[in-house]
Amino acid sequence: LRTRARLCHVLGEEHFKHLPLLLITPEEGTRVLTESLQVDLWKVASSSLNPFQNPAIARKTTINNPDEPSFQQKVDELLDLDKSIQEKLTSEELAHLAGGFGCTDESVADILKEAVFNDIKVNREREQSQEQEGTTTEEEDSHQLQDFVNEGLTAAVRSG
């Protein structure tokens, strides 16, 4: 997935976005990762994999060791969690991927915007429901945005 992200960045997204990925292993041979299998891979990566950086550049992208080509490669390899992926994964899964494996600024902005809109919608609906019923319960406000940020930061710390 990182290789695809890098190729999309360097050669243009229109050339690689819908191209199936191949998984080649000595044990299994060659397997085609269709779009539905890629969604399954995203889900497994978000829930079962410990976040990690590209090991080839991880030691070259620290504050004390800034290697410009390695930083550029790191930027090129940011994952694009576009709308089609965002629709198929939960907020927690998206946060884990974004924080742990790194994703594009546009992806993060879209996810944060959705979380804010969801919080506003849930809070308004709760308030309207309480007004119609004439009740005032001490329900906690929706905090999807805060949950996303917390999960993303946790995953980022775990990735090193």
Side-chain angles (χ1 to χ4, degrees), residues 82-153:
D82 62 18
K83 289 289 185 196
S84 66
I85 296 168
Q86 291 177 26
E87 292 169 355
K88 296 172 182 140
L89 300 177
T90 67
S91 289
E92 186 176 298
E93 291 168 335
L94 291 169
H96 190 83
L97 290 169
F101 297 98
C103 71
T104 62
D105 291 346
E106 184 178 341
S107 298
V108 172
D110 286 345
I111 295 166
L112 292 175
K113 186 170 44 175
E114 280 300 314
V116 167
F117 290 151
N118 184 63
D119 284 347
I120 291 169
K121 178 182 170 194
V122 168
N123 292 336
R124 279 188 185 152
E125 288 174 354
R126 182 181 44 80
E127 289 170 5
Q128 289 173 349
S129 173
Q130 288 178 352
E131 286 175 7
Q132 289 175 351
E133 295 172 1
T135 61
T136 56
T137 59
E138 293 296 321
E139 289 183 44
E140 191 174 307
D141 284 344
S142 177
H143 45 78
Q144 184 178 359
L145 176 63
Q146 188 63 52
D147 292 345
F148 177 84
V149 171
N150 290 345
E151 182 66 28
L153 286 173

Side-chain angles (χ1 to χ4, degrees), residues 3-153:
T3 302
R4 171 186 274 172
R6 190 162 187 217
L7 288 171
C8 285
H9 179 80
V10 173
L11 301 175
E13 187 174 316
E14 64 277 0
H15 299 295
F16 294 96
K17 190 65 177 171
H18 298 288
L19 193 67
L21 295 175
L22 297 177
L23 174 66
I24 303 170
T25 64
E27 301 81 26
E28 300 291 327
T30 303
R31 302 278 177 135
V32 177
L33 292 175
T34 61
E35 286 191 33
S36 63
L37 287 175
Q38 289 176 45
V39 170
D40 292 343
L41 179 61
W42 285 114
K43 287 186 172 288
V44 168
S46 68
S47 61
S48 301
L49 278 180
N50 282 327
F52 61 88
Q53 296 182 35
N54 179 338
I57 62 172
R59 70 184 192 300
K60 299 177 185 177
T61 55
T62 64
I63 301 256
N64 297 327
N65 187 16
D67 180 49
E68 189 171 336
S70 295
F71 271 109
Q72 186 58 49
Q73 180 177 346
K74 190 171 187 169
V75 169
D76 293 348
E77 291 179 356
L78 291 174
L79 303 173
D80 182 14
L81 302 176
D82 62 18
K83 289 289 185 196
S84 66
I85 296 168
Q86 291 177 26
E87 292 169 355
K88 296 172 182 140
L89 300 177
T90 67
S91 289
E92 186 176 298
E93 291 168 335
L94 291 169
H96 190 83
L97 290 169
F101 297 98
C103 71
T104 62
D105 291 346
E106 184 178 341
S107 298
V108 172
D110 286 345
I111 295 166
L112 292 175
K113 186 170 44 175
E114 280 300 314
V116 167
F117 290 151
N118 184 63
D119 284 347
I120 291 169
K121 178 182 170 194
V122 168
N123 292 336
R124 279 188 185 152
E125 288 174 354
R126 182 181 44 80
E127 289 170 5
Q128 289 173 349
S129 173
Q130 288 178 352
E131 286 175 7
Q132 289 175 351
E133 295 172 1
T135 61
T136 56
T137 59
E138 293 296 321
E139 289 183 44
E140 191 174 307
D141 284 344
S142 177
H143 45 78
Q144 184 178 359
L145 176 63
Q146 188 63 52
D147 292 345
F148 177 84
V149 171
N150 290 345
E151 182 66 28
L153 286 173

